[in-house]
Amino acid sequence: MKTLTVSVVTPDGPVLEDQYEMVSCKAESGELGILPGHIPLVAPLAISAVRLKKDNKTEKIAVSGGFLEVRPDKVTVLAQAAEKPSDIDVERARKAKERAERRLQAKQDDIDFKRAELALKRALNRLDVAQSE
Amino acid sequence: MASLRDIKGRINSTKKTMQITKAMEMVSASKLNRAEQNAKAFVPYMEKMQEVVASIASGNTGVEHPMLKARPVKKTGYIVITSDRGLAGAYNSNVLRKVYQTIQERHQSTDEYTVIAIGKVGREFFKKRNMPVAKEIIGLADQPNFADIQTIASETVEMYASEEIDELYLYYNHFVSAISQVVTEKKLLPLTDINPEGQKQTSYEYEPDEEAILKVLLPQYAESLIYGALLDGKASEHAARMTAMKNATDNASEMIDTLTLSYNRARQASITQEISEIVSGAAALE
């Protein structure tokens, strides 16, 4: 089976670099599945889980936005924050979720609302990925 | 001449100071090590980012984004990176002097610029001179991570996007080596100096299109430039503090040497005096 190199990098350093058979992720315009030999592509990612397939096993990485760069033999995920399930601080994510929910309830001006919404999405994504482990 | 006790006291206090400066030197040396590692971990992210930005910016000329286009400047933003604590030699004063001079040269009134202060020393400096400080962050860790700075970075980029400021400069100490740090001025926004030279070009497909990608990419790029400068600044801070403390330790040991010399002299003098007193006392008895 052909594989491609996947590396996930954040400003705090590389999170992961390994060989996988397939990458599927949620871009802002919809689901994307990438197999080896894909044409060069750049796409912004939604706050979601990037799924990496190898030997019938799927690994998940929680990604907070950022984007995806594809070359025929290599996929790079550039995100401001990305975590493996084992690295996720569940307690912190839960707190962030509660905080964001409270802010959404309070309904302040637009910017705060948007920010709280994004924070909630990130927290839910982290919790989701952590629980799938 | 100072009394023996006085000199002894000074020697002791200098020794204590030397212990402290020596400890601080070693602490800074290990922090510098960590800071260099952090800066190194950041490199792959930045390189990749630059590669993609450059290939989009150079590939198709049809793309437009407010961050790529210079507009008439009504207000300028200055991000100034300083430390929270002193005892780092000329680290802070170098940056602050440079910013202060630049602002004095370029602007007539305080309406024309605003400062985003990272670090306590910078904040105090500008507040004291009644210069506008739009945003500030203090108490950053010695080994900051991206989350620490993300809010202020994205708010600053947002200030540009909402046309609150029309250009943005970044001032920090660039880390050259453990003994040399250079004050650097960098024009952050608009992003006019993305040069794709020397990079291998790939023609990408864009999903959904260039403009949607630029909307995500450019703010992220600008934010990571700020973070990169902060990492660089932190490495410089530790290096500057290490050098300053090394100098202080050297000076202290020199001072102890001189003091010990004058202590011995004073002791010898008092012994000589005593002997001559005894001798003259004995001579008087004869």
Side-chain angles (χ1 to χ4, degrees):
Chain A
M1 187 94 187
K2 261 168 87 180
T3 57
L4 39 63
T5 314
V6 179
S7 63
V8 179
V9 283
T10 67
D12 294 322
V15 173
L16 162 146
E17 172 142 13
D18 209 350
Q19 300 286 325
Y20 291 96
E21 286 157 11
M22 181 178 167
V23 181
S24 33
C25 59
K26 200 167 158 201
E28 278 185 356
S29 51
E31 283 282 334
L32 272 179
I34 289 144
L35 291 167
H38 200 284
I39 50 163
L41 172 93
V42 178
L45 291 174
I47 296 169
S48 61
V50 172
R51 283 141 357 246
L52 307 164
K53 277 186 196 130
K54 182 165 70 173
D55 305 330
N56 290 326
K57 269 185 287 190
T58 309
E59 284 176 42
K60 277 190 179 177
I61 306 279
V63 177
S64 306
F67 59 96
L68 177 87
E69 189 230 9
V70 182
R71 286 157 185 253
D73 58 345
K74 192 162 194 246
V75 173
T76 313
V77 175
L78 288 158
Q80 295 193 324
E83 286 121 3
K84 291 187 206 175
S86 52
D87 294 339
I88 292 175
D89 187 339
V90 178
E91 194 48 42
R92 203 180 134 195
R94 194 167 292 139
K95 279 201 184 117
K97 183 186 152 216
E98 280 161 19
R99 204 166 46 229
E101 279 170 346
R102 256 203 316 279
R103 288 214 183 120
L104 286 175
Q105 295 285 320
K107 267 195 197 157
Q108 290 148 336
D109 55 82
D110 277 359
I111 301 169
D112 275 352
F113 195 78
K114 233 178 236 169
R115 220 177 262 164
E117 212 172 1
L118 284 175
L120 181 62
K121 267 191 198 163
R122 281 196 294 270
L124 286 175
N125 179 38
R126 284 204 174 102
L127 289 173
D128 190 38
V129 170
Q131 270 154 19
S132 69
E133 178 74 330
Chain B
M1 197 183 226
S3 77
L4 276 181
R5 257 189 64 200
D6 287 347
I7 301 177
K8 190 89 198 160
R10 281 185 67 190
I11 292 179
N12 278 336
S13 76
T14 315
K15 265 189 187 153
K16 293 227 168 82
T17 313
M18 191 168 106
Q19 273 177 354
I20 295 169
T21 56
K22 192 153 197 175
M24 281 181 75
E25 181 195 336
M26 290 197 286
V27 169
S28 295
S30 80
K31 280 185 183 167
L32 170 63
N33 228 330
R34 289 263 310 275
E36 274 187 287
Q37 277 170 13
N38 288 349
K40 222 175 262 168
F42 175 68
V43 170
Y45 178 78
M46 200 64 227
E47 275 180 353
K48 203 80 213 172
M49 197 79 135
Q50 250 155 359
E51 200 182 307
V52 179
V53 172
S55 72
I56 295 180
S58 69
N60 256 328
T61 43
V63 286
E64 269 187 19
H65 191 275
M67 280 191 185
L68 292 171
K69 226 168 45 186
R71 58 181 182 235
V73 178
K74 288 195 280 302
K75 199 166 186 179
T76 311
Y78 293 92
I79 301 182
V80 184
I81 299 178
T82 56
S83 66
D84 279 344
R85 276 168 294 158
L87 293 180
Y91 174 80
N92 290 312
S93 52
N94 281 347
V95 177
L96 293 175
R97 194 187 320 120
K98 171 102 190 197
V99 179
Y100 190 67
Q101 279 171 358
T102 320
I103 290 179
Q104 295 294 335
E105 269 168 35
R106 283 189 197 156
H107 306 293
Q108 264 87 49
S109 85
T110 50
D111 300 331
E112 291 172 18
Y113 65 90
T114 187
V115 175
I116 293 106
I118 299 180
K120 206 183 205 158
V121 177
R123 186 191 67 167
E124 303 298 322
F125 179 90
F126 292 112
K127 285 250 164 98
K128 212 156 133 199
R129 282 164 183 72
N130 287 323
M131 293 159 98
V133 178
K135 291 183 192 311
E136 56 183 58
I137 184 165
I138 56 169
L140 279 177
D142 280 324
Q143 322 293 341
N145 50 32
F146 188 70
D148 295 339
I149 186 100
Q150 192 169 16
T151 325
I152 195 167
S154 59
E155 278 173 8
T156 307
V157 175
E158 182 59 36
M159 274 170 84
Y160 179 85
S162 62
E163 304 201 8
E164 204 172 314
I165 51 174
D166 303 295
E167 54 180 358
L168 184 61
Y169 287 92
L170 188 62
Y171 284 84
Y172 65 102
N173 271 302
H174 171 58
F175 177 79
V176 181
S177 71
I179 48 163
S180 155
Q181 298 89 36
V182 189
V183 179
T184 310
E185 179 204 56
K186 205 177 202 172
K187 190 172 184 181
L188 200 63
L189 289 170
L191 292 158
T192 42
D193 58 340
I194 300 169
N195 61 335
E197 278 169 54
Q199 308 225 13
K200 46 181 191 288
Q201 294 286 316
T202 319
S203 53
Y204 293 107
E205 287 284 312
Y206 302 103
E207 177 67 39
D209 56 37
E210 279 105 324
E211 266 163 56
I213 288 172
L214 285 181
K215 229 172 82 189
V216 178
L217 185 60
L218 290 179
Q220 203 178 333
Y221 180 65
E223 283 165 28
S224 42
L225 282 176
I226 298 177
Y227 182 60
L230 177 73
L231 288 181
D232 204 347
K234 279 287 175 191
S236 302
E237 180 191 334
H238 298 314
R241 183 164 293 131
M242 189 179 91
T243 318
M245 287 303 118
K246 190 177 170 1
N247 286 340
T249 313
D250 289 351
N251 287 344
S253 89
E254 208 170 282
M255 203 163 146
I256 289 170
D257 283 352
T258 344
L259 284 174
T260 314
L261 197 66
S262 51
Y263 176 79
N264 287 342
R265 256 195 212 130
R267 191 181 49 123
Q268 195 58 53
S270 76
I271 292 169
T272 314
Q273 201 188 353
E274 253 171 62
I275 290 174
S276 67
E277 272 164 15
I278 292 166
V279 169
S280 55
L285 281 179
E286 268 172 26

